[in-house]
């Protein structure tokens, strides 16, 4: 089993508001092992904080007597969030100041047109998880993996979220893993999908995950199911999560509306039409689902894809549960 270091952003917690400056640069594939400090002129009476990578923007603030009073009272106004160990906990997370702040900053930068790309970040970060060796998962490793062919185009989505992360970090440092997990849930909600509670407290890894762990688009249904089983996800999870393809312009209804159009289109099998454009709808893996008996059947009397096509509320509930399972896969948590 590979060994990975995890970075606890609470170690960098500052009692003052941080200001983001400079052009954002993504970390190298293998981040440096040393911690760099941002130098500041000694005359400026500023506070400096450590960064994991010298290519990251430097942060610093100057303060006076009024700010010192605010700094002294901040720990009482903004209590530190303690992570919870049970998967799928809802109520305790929704009222925390950290959680509400993250959602507020994400909503400032997120639009319906950008939602699919942000949701894709979730799948590509968490989708590397493997049960057998407990490697990969929702750990923020995607920031080191943007040059991989399967992650083409995701740098723009991460750049969008970096703006939100900067806003949150001004008050309280947040991990990439937490931010991406919450952002994906907000993307679904913004496009009309279900409200998904996200547990906080994930730690970021300091290295990329192994390559070749994401499901390939060309897999048939049998291979897809085996791939998802290795990640601790059931066939039903596979079908429900695939419903996310309803947004993003893959040909399943309105590209900015999260609904059950994906399943309705699957049943119609438009790619079999003589129309040349119809063959461009969806991915080979999407088409494979509707040709597979197990994906179609929940039991002898029920059909999965048909159920979701006929009952959007049921799809929303199952997607929510599968999403929570996905973003908790492989996560390392604050103590």
């Amino acid at each position: 089993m590979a060994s990975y270091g995890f970075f606890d952003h609470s170690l960098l917690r500052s009692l003052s508001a941080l200001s983001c400056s400079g052009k954002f640069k993504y970390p190298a594939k293998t981040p440096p092992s040393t911690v760099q400090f941002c130098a500041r002129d000694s005359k400026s009476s500023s506070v400096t904080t450590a960064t994991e990578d010298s290519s990251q923007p430097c942060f610093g603030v100057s303060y006076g007597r009024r700010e010192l009073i605010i700094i002294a009272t901040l720990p009482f106004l903004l209590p530190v969030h303690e992570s919870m160990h049970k998967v799928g906990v809802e109520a305790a997370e929704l009222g925390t100041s950290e959680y509400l702040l993250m959602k507020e900053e994400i909503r400032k930068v997120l639009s319906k047109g950008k939602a699919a790309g942000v949701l894709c970040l979730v799948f590509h970060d968490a989708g590397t998880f493997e049960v057998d060796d407990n490697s990969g998962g929702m750990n923020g490793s995607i920031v080191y993996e943007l040059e991989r062919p399967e992650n083409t185009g995701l740098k723009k989505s991460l750049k969008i979220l970096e703006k939100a992360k900067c806003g949150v970090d001004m008050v309280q440092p947040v991990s990439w893993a937490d931010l991406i997990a919450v952002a994906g849930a907000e993307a679904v909600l913004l496009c009309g999908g279900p409200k998904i509670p996200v547990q906080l407290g994930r730690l970021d890894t300091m290295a990329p995950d192994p390559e070749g762990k994401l499901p390939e688009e060309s897999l048939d249904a049998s291979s897809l199911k085996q791939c998802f089983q290795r990640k601790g996800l059931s066939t039903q999870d596979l079908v429900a999560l695939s419903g996310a393809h309803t947004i993003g312009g893959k040909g399943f209804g309105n590209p900015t509306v999260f609904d059950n159009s994906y399943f309705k289109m699957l049943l119609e099998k438009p790619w079999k039409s003589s129309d040349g454009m119809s063959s461009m709808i969806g991915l080979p893996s999407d088409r494979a689902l509707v040709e597979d008996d197990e994906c179609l059947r929940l039991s002898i009397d029920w059909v999965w894809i048909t159920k979701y096509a006929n009952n959007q509320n049921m799809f929303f509930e199952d997607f929510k549960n599968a999403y929570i399972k996905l973003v908790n896969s492989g996560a390392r948590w604050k103590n």
Side-chain angles (χ1 to χ4, degrees):
M1 173 178 170
S3 176
Y4 302 98
F6 285 84
F7 185 78
D8 187 345
H9 289 265
S10 66
L11 297 177
L12 300 186
R13 190 177 314 284
S14 172
L15 298 182
S16 61
L18 302 178
S19 62
C20 296
S21 63
K23 185 177 180 181
F24 177 70
K25 296 181 180 179
Y26 296 101
K29 291 183 178 180
T30 305
S33 59
T34 57
V35 176
Q36 302 291 332
F37 288 86
C38 303
R40 292 289 185 272
D41 189 343
S42 60
K43 297 180 181 180
S44 64
S45 298
S46 63
V47 176
T48 59
T49 62
T51 62
E52 294 176 66
D53 187 339
S54 58
S55 66
Q56 298 288 347
C58 296
F59 303 98
V61 294
S62 59
Y63 54 84
R65 179 178 298 176
R66 179 177 300 178
E67 286 78 9
L68 284 173
I69 296 174
I70 296 174
I71 291 170
T73 57
L74 260 177
F76 302 97
L77 298 176
L78 299 172
V80 178
H81 169 75
E82 295 295 334
S83 66
M84 308 187 74
H85 300 287
K86 293 183 179 179
V87 173
V89 175
E90 297 185 13
E93 300 302 334
L94 297 180
T96 65
S97 59
E98 180 183 5
Y99 190 80
L100 296 175
L101 174 64
M102 288 173 64
K103 294 202 294 184
E104 179 183 354
E105 293 299 323
I106 288 168
R107 289 168 183 171
K108 290 179 182 178
V109 300
L110 187 61
S111 66
K112 290 183 178 181
K114 300 171 183 175
V118 169
L119 187 56
C120 193
L121 281 174
V122 178
F123 283 85
H124 284 231
D125 192 37
T128 57
F129 179 62
E130 295 284 337
V131 172
D132 289 346
D133 58 4
N134 195 29
S135 65
M138 198 74 205
N139 55 21
S141 67
I142 188 69
V143 302
Y144 306 116
E145 301 159 3
L146 295 173
E147 302 304 322
R148 295 178 180 178
E150 64 268 28
N151 294 329
T152 300
L154 292 184
K155 183 178 291 188
K156 183 182 296 185
S157 298
L158 197 69
K159 180 69 174 179
I160 293 168
L161 292 189
E162 192 275 334
K163 297 176 183 178
K165 188 176 189 300
C166 184
V168 178
D169 285 343
M170 289 175 64
V171 177
Q172 180 169 306
V174 62
S175 68
W176 271 114
D178 271 353
L179 189 83
I180 292 172
V182 174
E186 287 299 300
V188 170
L189 183 63
L190 178 63
C191 291
K195 184 175 183 179
I196 307 173
V198 177
Q199 180 181 350
L200 301 183
R202 296 168 188 77
L203 301 177
D204 280 339
T205 183
M206 297 180 70
D209 285 338
E211 296 190 51
K213 299 296 184 180
L214 291 176
E216 297 179 11
E217 296 178 355
S218 59
L219 292 179
D220 59 22
S222 177
S223 299
L224 272 174
K225 288 185 290 184
Q226 292 175 14
C227 180
F228 271 64
Q229 286 169 2
R230 292 195 298 269
K231 302 178 187 304
L233 298 170
S234 67
T235 302
Q236 186 174 5
D237 293 328
L238 162 63
V239 176
L241 290 172
S242 295
H245 286 174
T246 192
I247 61 173
K250 293 182 174 64
F252 299 104
N254 189 322
T256 60
V257 175
F258 192 98
D259 57 18
N260 62 342
S261 295
Y262 172 82
F263 303 102
K264 293 178 180 179
M265 293 286 289
L266 283 184
L267 292 176
E268 294 175 3
K269 301 182 182 180
W271 49 86
K272 291 189 175 182
S273 169
S274 58
D275 182 1
M277 292 299 292
S278 297
S279 63
M280 300 175 65
I281 294 177
L283 305 172
S285 56
D286 293 319
R287 302 166 197 171
L289 288 180
V290 78
E291 303 293 349
D292 184 76
D293 286 341
E294 186 180 349
C295 289
L296 283 170
R297 292 187 179 281
L298 177 59
S299 69
I300 235 170
D301 299 316
W302 291 91
V303 179
W304 285 12
I305 294 175
T306 303
K307 271 178 60 181
Y308 294 155
N310 293 332
N311 191 331
Q312 181 167 280
N313 289 335
M314 183 174 292
F315 162 54
F316 279 10
E317 181 66 18
D318 288 351
F319 181 87
K320 179 190 75 173
N321 294 332
Y323 184 92
I324 291 171
K325 188 185 297 185
L326 177 70
V327 297
N328 288 329
S329 297
R332 271 54 171 183
W333 305 91
K334 295 178 185 178
N335 293 326

